[in-house]
């Protein structure tokens, strides 16, 4: 039997708190960010890489219809969360406040990892092939040796998964940092 990292009641609670915790993170980001033009220039390429990873993943994801093992899913089981982590890292570099990094890391470990575990439990029930896939492909940190097919991206899935919202949210954060640095 597979061992769980977090008690289910805790994971269920933080799954409900994921969106509200995002608002708290945004408020802290607005209050504490101290961007400079140099920090923005350093953070933008990092965040752009995360946005590209999320876009690539969204174009391969047919939620609850089929197990996604192509594209970035050949390298990491959770490329959307991995991309979010990369985007946040770039924004934290641009924001230049160490407390933000500590808080974002705590939220990722305390909120996102339990949510990932709940999603994995769901996928194991929905797709019998998920177990063997999970044994071969890492959870969040990619293995840069493809274990599956890397093609198959579709714009239809990108739009269906509404990944453009991540781009808009990033544009708003970047606009804020630029305005604050000016």
């Amino acid at each position: 039997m597979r061992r769980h990292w977090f008690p289910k009641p805790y994971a269920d609670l933080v799954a409900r708190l994921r969106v509200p915790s995002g608002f708290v993170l945004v408020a802290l980001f607005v209050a504490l960010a101290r961007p400079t033009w140099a920090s923005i220039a350093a953070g933008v390429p990092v965040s752009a890489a995360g946005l590209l990873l999320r876009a690539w993943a969204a174009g391969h994801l047919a939620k609850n219809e089929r197990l996604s093992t192509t594209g970035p899913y050949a390298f990491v089981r959770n490329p959307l969360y991995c991309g979010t982590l990369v985007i946040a890292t770039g924004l934290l570099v641009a924001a230049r406040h160490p407390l933000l990094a500590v808080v974002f890391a705590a939220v990722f470990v305390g909120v996102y990892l339990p949510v990932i575990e709940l999603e994995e439990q769901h996928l194991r029930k929905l797709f019998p092939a998920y177990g063997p896939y999970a044994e071969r492909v890492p959870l969040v940190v990619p293995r840069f040796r493809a274990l599956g097919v890397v093609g198959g991206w579709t714009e239809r899935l990108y739009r269906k998964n509404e990944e453009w919202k991540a781009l808009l949210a990033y544009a708003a954060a970047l606009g804020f940092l630029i305005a604050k640095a000016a």
Side-chain angles (χ1 to χ4, degrees):
M1 175 179 257
R2 191 180 170 312
R3 191 173 152 247
H4 299 292
W5 307 316
F6 302 94
K8 183 149 175 41
Y10 172 77
D12 289 337
L13 172 66
V14 296
R16 289 190 302 275
L17 295 177
R18 181 168 54 167
V19 172
S21 71
F23 289 117
V24 171
L25 290 175
V26 168
L28 281 172
F29 185 79
V30 167
L32 299 177
R34 304 180 323 222
T36 63
W37 293 110
S39 70
I40 292 170
V44 164
V46 176
S47 290
L51 284 166
L52 288 171
L53 176 56
R54 284 189 58 92
W56 187 28
H60 284 268
L61 180 62
K63 290 180 186 175
N64 298 322
E65 295 173 19
R66 65 173 164 79
L67 178 60
S68 297
T69 60
T70 61
Y73 294 92
F75 301 95
V76 63
R77 293 194 311 266
N78 293 281
L80 289 169
Y81 289 117
C82 182
T84 297
L85 193 56
V86 173
I87 293 166
T89 300
L91 289 172
L92 292 169
V93 166
R96 288 186 344 116
H97 198 292
L99 180 59
L100 285 173
V102 171
V103 171
F104 273 67
V107 168
F108 189 82
V109 170
V111 175
Y112 281 92
L113 287 180
V115 169
I116 289 170
E117 184 171 358
L118 286 176
E119 290 178 4
E120 291 225 321
Q121 291 171 19
H122 171 73
L123 292 170
R124 285 178 191 280
K125 290 177 187 170
L126 194 58
F127 303 112
Y130 189 82
Y133 166 74
E135 289 176 15
R136 295 187 323 270
V137 179
L139 183 67
V140 178
V141 178
R143 178 181 299 143
F144 292 105
R145 179 175 52 88
L147 298 173
V149 178
V150 289
W153 186 90
T154 69
E155 183 183 350
R156 179 188 65 76
L157 286 173
Y158 174 86
R159 284 192 319 265
K160 180 179 180 184
N161 290 313
E162 299 181 339
E163 192 55 31
W164 52 270
K165 290 180 180 179
L167 183 59
L168 288 179
Y170 174 73
L174 181 59
F176 165 76
L177 289 171
I178 290 170
K180 197 163 185 179

